[in-house]
Amino acid sequence: MIVVMKPEATQDQIDHMIAHVRELGLSPQVLHGTQRVVIAAIGEERPGMVETLEPGEGVEKVLPILAPYKRASRELKPERTVVKAGRLEMGGVAIGVIAGPCSVESESQIVGLAIKLAKLGATGLRGGAFKPRTSPYSFQGHKEDGLKMLAAARDASGLAIVTEVMAPDQVPMVAEYADVLQIGARNMQNYNLLQAVGDSGKPAMLKRGMSATMDEFLLAAEYILDRGNPHVMLCERGIRTFEDHTRFTLPLASVPFLKEKSHLPVVVDPSHGTGKARLVPPMALAAIAAGADGLMVEVHDDPERAVSDGSQTITPALFADLMANARRIAQAVDRTL
Amino acid sequence: MIVVMKPEATQDQIDHMIAHVRELGLSPQVLHGTQRVVIAAIGEERPGMVETLEPGEGVEKVLPILAPYKRASRELKPERTVVKAGRLEMGGVAIGVIAGPCSVESESQIVGLAIKLAKLGATGLRGGAFKPRTSPYSFQGHKEDGLKMLAAARDASGLAIVTEVMAPDQVPMVAEYADVLQIGARNMQNYNLLQAVGDSGKPAMLKRGMSATMDEFLLAAEYILDRGNPHVMLCERGIRTFEDHTRFTLPLASVPFLKEKSHLPVVVDPSHGTGKARLVPPMALAAIAAGADGLMVEVHDDPERAVSDGSQTITPALFADLMANARRIAQAVDRTL
Amino acid sequence: MIVVMKPEATQDQIDHMIAHVRELGLSPQVLHGTQRVVIAAIGEERPGMVETLEPGEGVEKVLPILAPYKRASRELKPERTVVKAGRLEMGGVAIGVIAGPCSVESESQIVGLAIKLAKLGATGLRGGAFKPRTSPYSFQGHKEDGLKMLAAARDASGLAIVTEVMAPDQVPMVAEYADVLQIGARNMQNYNLLQAVGDSGKPAMLKRGMSATMDEFLLAAEYILDRGNPHVMLCERGIRTFEDHTRFTLPLASVPFLKEKSHLPVVVDPSHGTGKARLVPPMALAAIAAGADGLMVEVHDDPERAVSDGSQTITPALFADLMANARRIAQAVDRTL
Amino acid sequence: MIVVMKPEATQDQIDHMIAHVRELGLSPQVLHGTQRVVIAAIGEERPGMVETLEPGEGVEKVLPILAPYKRASRELKPERTVVKAGRLEMGGVAIGVIAGPCSVESESQIVGLAIKLAKLGATGLRGGAFKPRTSPYSFQGHKEDGLKMLAAARDASGLAIVTEVMAPDQVPMVAEYADVLQIGARNMQNYNLLQAVGDSGKPAMLKRGMSATMDEFLLAAEYILDRGNPHVMLCERGIRTFEDHTRFTLPLASVPFLKEKSHLPVVVDPSHGTGKARLVPPMALAAIAAGADGLMVEVHDDPERAVSDGSQTITPALFADLMANARRIAQAVDRTL
């Protein structure tokens, strides 16, 4: 860390901070600039150190040097992680595509749709059995019955099941039926849930919180990795900004950034990322061009009859077009699909 | 709702949407504007209706008319709610002040500090036993031992205990020791937790998520209220924006806005809201001037030795000054403290 | 517009608003919902009408129905606009590429670089002669001398010159040398400048303000169009958000959105949009995949010696790679480059 | 500056950066941390230096140490600046209040209103003669006629005139009639305008751009100060965020922050800052409690008939209440009004 003292800091205050740096187990090195003194604290930065140095009297600011995540970092593991779950594979040359409805509505719906999606080239099936809904008056999902419908859809289609788990005590049940445990954007910093998913050892799809920085996103992944579960996929699904023509703002520069900093696969969800069905196909193509390892797309036979998220859901016919175009883009960036 | 059709919408598409509105149990009324047709859907809007109308062909946009929350609304309950928990009271003429360290560190620390804070006029004691930390490598709290230390501090000081609960299955344990269950900003949309806190019947302090809109904030409160627990306090603690001179942006206009729309008490946390100890006192005063019913402030005997959040923590001496100044502002807005 | 009355609005207040709507030349239609009265105001919405209705007593909110821009809209002009300036063409099947340094530094620099860029397939040359700099102590550009250097580079390379104009009284001078007048993000709502560029009749490159909504962006274009100048290109260059791993957040969903709403060509600037040279190539490819009509990229022979924006500038060698990859993506979306 | 090298940086890359730091006239000091090498560059940081160091090979990031503004800084001028313009005074013990309509509509309107406002304790009169409007179809102001009406209002009321100037070539004309030249939020980084206002020597009211950081805001002030004009007031008027219940988000922590970093007076505009008349009074009080030196408030005899900004405008009756309450808050923070 770099402790920047105020120009008016006294020698006593400087000495106090030097001692404080030593107390933290770091080695202080004092630099006398033209306008102020700077103390470089050499050694391993640990979380919370910045917070204990900042309140020191005479301190102007404290700058961290090292990234706060370790296991998610390419510094620790330079080779890319490939997450596999049944037919689904994310992080290799092939681009994985997870498609399906927002909510599982009935067995016939999900089985029929899964068969269509598999034919069109999807490798994973999404569908919510436990639904985190903004309003308590919205449909909350079919819960365990929904999980059983998903399992039936896997049997019929061969697709890997990706479904959300909302609380630590649901993890065992969801893990019994699903191939990938999804942690939703609203739960990205639900640490008890992250730990429970980590303990399960199951492949995890971690969605970026809508106001999470890259450091916070990778530290959330770190919670899962730290429990000994290396099967983590990162999913960019859009952030909250002032923009009002889309439901969220989909910032695709996070894709090459995450792939530079981390070895984990990066998936993009253009459905939540835009909230508008018409914008899903172009943003899906853009995601692949930006280097994404996979897509997660909401598809429903009849979006007007979908119990949730109809506005951002495309039909199987549009999904077929999307796949055809996505294949061309994948080829253009030396990937397959 | 108002369904706005595109200028090029066909009569078939318009007829289809009229039928869809009827299917939802609403009464359609068709308005022929100069440039497009608009269908007003008269009746009770329910969550999800906008989403099912938006994908309709020929639809440009769908505008909701009613607020999505009911029980949190002043339309349903015009008189103000006063939440009481031991000595703490929020929502009446008196302004409640909850103070204390970020984390409970030891029994002697928390008991000693609680006695000081009670003398200075605080009515509640904050302190984390379960700590949601961005990094898995940070101190995670003393857990049940921390709760016992808080209970000892209540016995010694008379202050009401406000402490965070992070998972549904922790609710019974935390409820045994605490007077108020705090739901942290990162868990504002952890719906299973909201329901568990609702079921507990205990007073709840619901912190605004850092990217939550007012509708989302009030709908999160609705999850607790809907379980039959009316003792909900709303806490503004700052939002994520592009500003980088503070840790978060503290948007105080939410205080009068929430008090206009809802009957629930509104508390402000200037410590998390700014992240800088020097900015806490002026923003605490501003919060009261804006109409806040209470404050939540981080205080520690020695912020440089605090295990967490030192940067935004003030000393008891500064807290004493803050209370003196806060009293003057409270008087100026016809409140007491 | 839709005027939503409060549930407690009196009949007098409703009558008053009905009269106010009539006064505005609109035809009021009253809808009695289950919980409140809504007044639909039929007729042409003009700017400012919402503002005069909102302060009415008993009014809860006023919702606009129509888009505020006209000439920029595809409703008025469904066919796409193609902007031509010398060799540069934006809005047709071919994707235009504008490349060059942030600032014009010397004649030899800009001439040499322009020749290289033209060989690699660029069709326009960017380079600042008048530089809007955050600090008054930064290099402010070579001004008219810089314009002359750009003109020399055009003579040598055949590229069209795109350069920024910062004030209305600079428009005639810049228009004498340049092929395209650029309006910078910080000046997107400098209305006197927009009008002066409109009056010049010259092709204009309008950069999106870093906190501009789509409506504001298209209304800024409207200022130019309204002066009888149809040669307007829209440039997405990133917005201000909480993200701190990039200089701005580049929200590519604006590309298909703008192309749906407007007939004007849409260009993307991945250099300002990310602020990091390493992220420029993947985001350039993503922009084309999302449907962009053109790119604007900062290139410098030696970014470490650039007088400005070195961090986001790529070398000619990297630009050559980018062009090769961009060609493949262009083909995959049935465009040429 | 602190140049942080990547862990895999070679000795050649490190040597290259050391030489580059020397080339910039700074003195390099090399620190060997446990995981990477850091080069501290001792000496005066100048704008643009970070940008030239960042593209260096092997460089991970470059951290600036010093604030980029000088003349606006309290390091250079610790004593507070008091700006005086006729009866208006900002920065002393007394809180200045500028009130008036969004637009000057007619002489009788502005003169009548000015007399009322002066009686109620305002010291400045606001009112737009040149109006920056989002849409070209909105009322653009009465221009020079409007300035004459303002001058008449000054003669009748004794209030100082504060009015916006939109382009460099309007400065002489506006300076002839006005006491304070206002630079609007959309023009905060219109550098030619800032310089022209600097050259005029007239008191300036600089409004914060809606996505400006504190550094950018103070650097914009620096443009005026650097021209030898010390009479600069800073005005916080709200920022663009995801919040949609207010027109902008009014972040009052900027008030104590700016007063800590700068000697310039800080004014708050709760009208633009909220966009809702009902929220103006509580936020005006909060601004004073937070330490603001002045207020700028939109007042109109009949907001429903205002040609612009009616939604955020209060009546003289509400302004009278606001002043009474503001006086009590001012007293509570040892200020007068």
Coordinates of all heavy atoms in Angstrom, one line a residue, chain D residues 295-324:
Chain D
L295 N -27.9 29.3 -1.3 CA -28.9 28.5 -2.0 C -29.3 29.1 -3.3 O -29.2 30.4 -3.4 CB -30.2 28.4 -1.2 CG -30.2 27.7 0.2 CD1 -31.5 27.9 0.9 CD2 -29.8 26.2 0.0
M296 N -29.8 28.4 -4.3 CA -30.3 28.9 -5.5 C -31.6 28.1 -5.8 O -31.6 26.9 -5.9 CB -29.3 28.6 -6.6 CG -29.5 29.3 -7.9 SD -28.0 29.4 -8.9 CE -28.5 30.4 -10.2
V297 N -32.7 28.9 -5.8 CA -34.0 28.2 -5.7 C -34.9 28.8 -6.8 O -35.0 30.0 -7.0 CB -34.7 28.5 -4.4 CG1 -36.0 27.8 -4.3 CG2 -33.8 28.0 -3.2
E298 N -35.6 27.9 -7.5 CA -36.6 28.4 -8.6 C -37.9 28.8 -7.9 O -38.6 27.9 -7.3 CB -36.7 27.4 -9.7 CG -35.4 27.3 -10.5 CD -35.6 26.6 -11.8 OE1 -36.6 25.8 -12.0 OE2 -34.7 26.7 -12.7
V299 N -38.3 30.0 -8.1 CA -39.6 30.5 -7.6 C -40.4 31.2 -8.7 O -39.8 31.9 -9.6 CB -39.4 31.5 -6.5 CG1 -40.7 32.0 -5.8 CG2 -38.4 31.0 -5.4
H300 N -41.7 30.9 -8.8 CA -42.5 31.5 -9.8 C -43.9 31.8 -9.2 O -44.4 31.0 -8.4 CB -42.6 30.6 -11.0 CG -43.2 31.1 -12.3 ND1 -44.6 31.4 -12.4 CD2 -42.7 31.5 -13.4 CE1 -44.8 31.9 -13.6 NE2 -43.7 32.0 -14.3
D301 N -44.5 32.9 -9.6 CA -45.8 33.2 -9.1 C -46.9 32.1 -9.4 O -47.8 31.9 -8.6 CB -46.3 34.6 -9.7 CG -45.7 35.7 -9.0 OD1 -45.8 35.8 -7.7 OD2 -45.0 36.6 -9.6
D302 N -46.7 31.5 -10.5 CA -47.7 30.5 -10.9 C -47.0 29.4 -11.7 O -46.9 29.4 -12.9 CB -48.8 31.1 -11.8 CG -49.9 30.2 -12.2 OD1 -49.8 29.0 -11.7 OD2 -50.8 30.6 -12.9
P303 N -46.4 28.4 -10.9 CA -45.6 27.4 -11.6 C -46.3 26.7 -12.8 O -45.7 26.3 -13.8 CB -45.3 26.4 -10.5 CG -45.3 27.2 -9.2 CD -46.4 28.2 -9.5
E304 N -47.6 26.5 -12.7 CA -48.4 25.9 -13.8 C -48.3 26.8 -15.1 O -48.6 26.3 -16.2 CB -49.8 25.7 -13.5 CG -50.1 24.5 -12.6 CD -51.6 24.2 -12.5 OE1 -52.1 23.7 -13.5 OE2 -52.2 24.6 -11.5
R305 N -48.0 28.0 -14.9 CA -48.0 28.9 -16.1 C -46.5 29.2 -16.5 O -46.3 30.0 -17.4 CB -48.7 30.2 -15.8 CG -50.2 30.1 -15.6 CD -51.0 29.8 -16.9 NE -52.4 29.4 -16.6 CZ -52.8 28.2 -16.3 NH1 -51.9 27.2 -16.3 NH2 -54.0 28.0 -16.1
A306 N -45.5 28.7 -15.7 CA -44.1 29.0 -16.0 C -43.8 28.4 -17.4 O -44.3 27.3 -17.8 CB -43.2 28.3 -15.0
V307 N -43.0 29.1 -18.2 CA -42.7 28.6 -19.5 C -41.7 27.4 -19.5 O -41.5 26.7 -20.5 CB -42.2 29.7 -20.5 CG1 -43.2 30.8 -20.7 CG2 -40.8 30.2 -20.1
S308 N -41.0 27.3 -18.3 CA -40.1 26.1 -18.2 C -39.9 25.8 -16.7 O -40.1 26.6 -15.9 CB -38.7 26.5 -18.8 OG -38.3 27.7 -18.3
D309 N -39.6 24.5 -16.5 CA -39.3 24.0 -15.2 C -40.3 24.1 -14.2 O -40.0 24.1 -12.9 CB -38.0 24.7 -14.7 CG -36.7 24.0 -15.2 OD1 -36.8 23.0 -15.9 OD2 -35.6 24.5 -14.8
G310 N -41.6 24.1 -14.6 CA -42.7 24.3 -13.6 C -42.6 23.2 -12.5 O -42.9 23.5 -11.3
S311 N -42.3 22.0 -12.9 CA -42.3 20.8 -11.9 C -41.5 21.1 -10.7 O -41.7 20.5 -9.7 CB -41.9 19.6 -12.6 OG -42.5 19.4 -13.9
Q312 N -40.4 21.8 -10.8 CA -39.5 22.0 -9.7 C -39.5 23.4 -9.1 O -38.6 23.7 -8.3 CB -38.1 21.6 -10.2 CG -37.5 22.6 -11.2 CD -36.3 22.0 -11.9 OE1 -36.2 20.9 -12.2 NE2 -35.3 22.9 -12.2
T313 N -40.5 24.1 -9.4 CA -40.6 25.5 -9.0 C -41.6 25.7 -7.9 O -42.7 25.1 -7.9 CB -41.0 26.4 -10.2 OG1 -40.0 26.2 -11.3 CG2 -41.2 27.8 -9.9
I314 N -41.2 26.5 -6.9 CA -42.1 26.7 -5.8 C -42.7 28.1 -5.9 O -42.2 29.0 -6.6 CB -41.4 26.5 -4.4 CG1 -40.3 27.5 -4.2 CG2 -41.0 25.1 -4.2 CD1 -39.6 27.4 -2.8
T315 N -43.8 28.3 -5.2 CA -44.5 29.6 -5.2 C -43.8 30.6 -4.2 O -43.1 30.1 -3.2 CB -46.0 29.5 -4.8 OG1 -46.0 28.9 -3.5 CG2 -46.7 28.6 -5.8
P316 N -44.1 31.9 -4.3 CA -43.5 32.8 -3.2 C -44.0 32.4 -1.8 O -43.2 32.6 -0.9 CB -44.1 34.2 -3.7 CG -44.2 34.0 -5.2 CD -44.7 32.6 -5.4
A317 N -45.2 31.9 -1.7 CA -45.7 31.5 -0.4 C -44.9 30.4 0.2 O -44.5 30.5 1.4 CB -47.2 31.1 -0.4
L318 N -44.6 29.4 -0.6 CA -43.7 28.3 -0.1 C -42.3 28.8 0.1 O -41.6 28.3 1.0 CB -43.7 27.2 -1.1 CG -44.9 26.3 -1.1 CD1 -44.9 25.3 -2.3 CD2 -44.9 25.5 0.2
F319 N -41.8 29.8 -0.7 CA -40.5 30.3 -0.5 C -40.4 31.1 0.8 O -39.4 31.0 1.5 CB -40.2 31.3 -1.7 CG -38.8 31.9 -1.5 CD1 -37.6 31.1 -1.7 CD2 -38.7 33.3 -1.3 CE1 -36.4 31.7 -1.5 CE2 -37.4 33.9 -1.2 CZ -36.3 33.1 -1.3
A320 N -41.5 31.7 1.2 CA -41.5 32.5 2.5 C -41.4 31.5 3.6 O -40.6 31.7 4.6 CB -42.8 33.2 2.6
D321 N -42.1 30.3 3.6 CA -42.0 29.3 4.6 C -40.5 28.8 4.6 O -39.9 28.6 5.7 CB -42.9 28.1 4.3 CG -44.3 28.4 4.5 OD1 -44.6 29.5 5.0 OD2 -45.2 27.6 4.0
L322 N -40.0 28.5 3.4 CA -38.7 27.9 3.3 C -37.7 28.9 4.0 O -36.8 28.4 4.8 CB -38.3 27.7 1.8 CG -37.0 27.0 1.5 CD1 -37.0 26.6 0.0 CD2 -35.8 27.8 1.8
M323 N -37.8 30.2 3.8 CA -36.9 31.1 4.3 C -37.0 31.1 5.9 O -36.0 31.2 6.6 CB -37.1 32.5 3.8 CG -36.7 32.7 2.4 SD -34.9 32.5 2.0 CE -34.3 34.1 2.6
A324 N -38.2 31.0 6.4 CA -38.4 31.0 7.8 C -37.7 29.8 8.4 O -36.9 29.9 9.4 CB -39.9 31.0 8.2

